[in-house]
Amino acid sequence: MASLNYKIVNVTDTGKRSILIIYTGGTFGMVQDESGALIPFNFGKAIDKIPLLRNLGLKLTVISFPIPIDSSNVGIEEWRDLAYIIEENYAQYEGFVILHGTDTMAYTASALSFMIQGLNKPIILTGAQMPIGLPRSDARENLIAALEIAASTKDRRPMVSEVCVYFNHLLLKGNRAQKIRSSTFAAFGSENYPALAEVGIEIEFNESALQPYDDKAKLKVVGDLNPNISLLRIFPGISKSAIEALITEKSIRGIILESYGSGNTMNFDWFLSLLKKATKEGKIILNVSQCMGGTVLQGKYETSKRLDEVGVLSGRDITTESALAKMMYVLGMDQKGNDLRRLLTTPLVGEMDD
Ligand code: ASP
């Protein structure tokens, strides 16, 4: 296990269900520097800025990354830290709320859904579009609702037992969520999967969409992710040399191909030959759509028919964020050939439809 780097910054002991809040940074706790730019701020006593937290009837512990970060700087190391922090604290808490910047929250939620297996407790990521210190900030509502969801039970079992994103009244499946807006409070959506809950006067859970609770689940954290992957987003007029640079690079083992519509690409011979050369060399290519909604159907159009032939795999309705995390996770395993391809095209944690 990596050496864990975090500190406890606050504890409220007002209730029975215990939730661990992990503050990583992001707009939620940011302040403005002299130039007016938002920078991460030490969360410190931010919990005191929300006195209401003491009335939730929860026992809250807040821990913080030693140096809070803008989530644009998140990478595999931070994902591992989060996974291992949760593993280390799993037995002591009934739920986990991660405060995270919105920019890469969907990537982190996807990665954690693959890395933290055998969950029977909730892990809810949330954040804010405006810092908590501002009067109209969405930080309070997001944090309070995320905590209530993390503490929710039914028949004395946690209502949620998976990695989710909570934002602006919606609870979304973590590996289906995407940041879709940068300037309104409704920052997240999951076009291909229904919301897991809607928060109004009541919290209305969509129970049939939730991962069923499994009391035999045994926690297992996987930290081996392979970073040697790339993302090829095609566009009209893209040059052969740009594509070559991305997919023929020796160190690259997996490529997410972001195609048009229902999985279409240009069907020029030079392009298909490059894809074929890459798959022949053992690189894995997964086809995901640039559209937020819908699915990849290789063969529906003439322009996607030959993708199967050159060894491109269909990512169906997976998001790009989730496909990247899944590729890193699957390539981190000791698997080859057909087993590797099967893992990529099979839903592992609800990230794609069957
Ligand atoms: N740049 C910020 C971050 O992702 C944006 C946010 O938190 O909303 O950390």
Side-chain angles (χ1 to χ4, degrees), residues 204-220:
E204 307 261 6
F205 286 99
N206 181 358
E207 290 189 43
S208 62
L210 286 165
Q211 169 74 27
Y213 179 83
D214 175 6
D215 59 357
K216 293 199 188 67
K218 271 226 165 329
L219 188 79
K220 183 179 165 215

Side-chain angles (χ1 to χ4, degrees), residues 74-77 79-80 107-108 110-112 114-115 222-231 253-256 284 286 320-334 340 344 348:
V74 156
I76 291 177
E77 220 173 287
W79 294 341
R80 279 197 198 112
Y107 294 87
T108 298
S110 295
L112 295 182
F114 295 108
M115 296 169 77
V222 176
D224 289 328
L225 297 186
N226 188 332
N228 297 319
I229 67 168
S230 69
L231 172 63
R253 292 218 40 222
I255 299 141
I256 305 298
I284 306 280
L286 188 70
T320 298
E321 292 85 336
S322 205
L324 289 164
K326 185 172 182 179
M327 186 67 93
M328 288 184 188
Y329 166 68
V330 168
L331 290 177
M333 297 162 98
D334 200 14
L340 198 59
L344 267 171
L348 302 180

Side-chain angles (χ1 to χ4, degrees), residues 25-28 30 69-72 100-104 128-129 179:
T27 299
F28 191 101
M30 285 187 181
I69 53 172
D70 186 303
S71 79
S72 309
H100 194 287
T102 58
D103 287 344
T104 61
Q129 292 282 62
K179 182 171 180 180

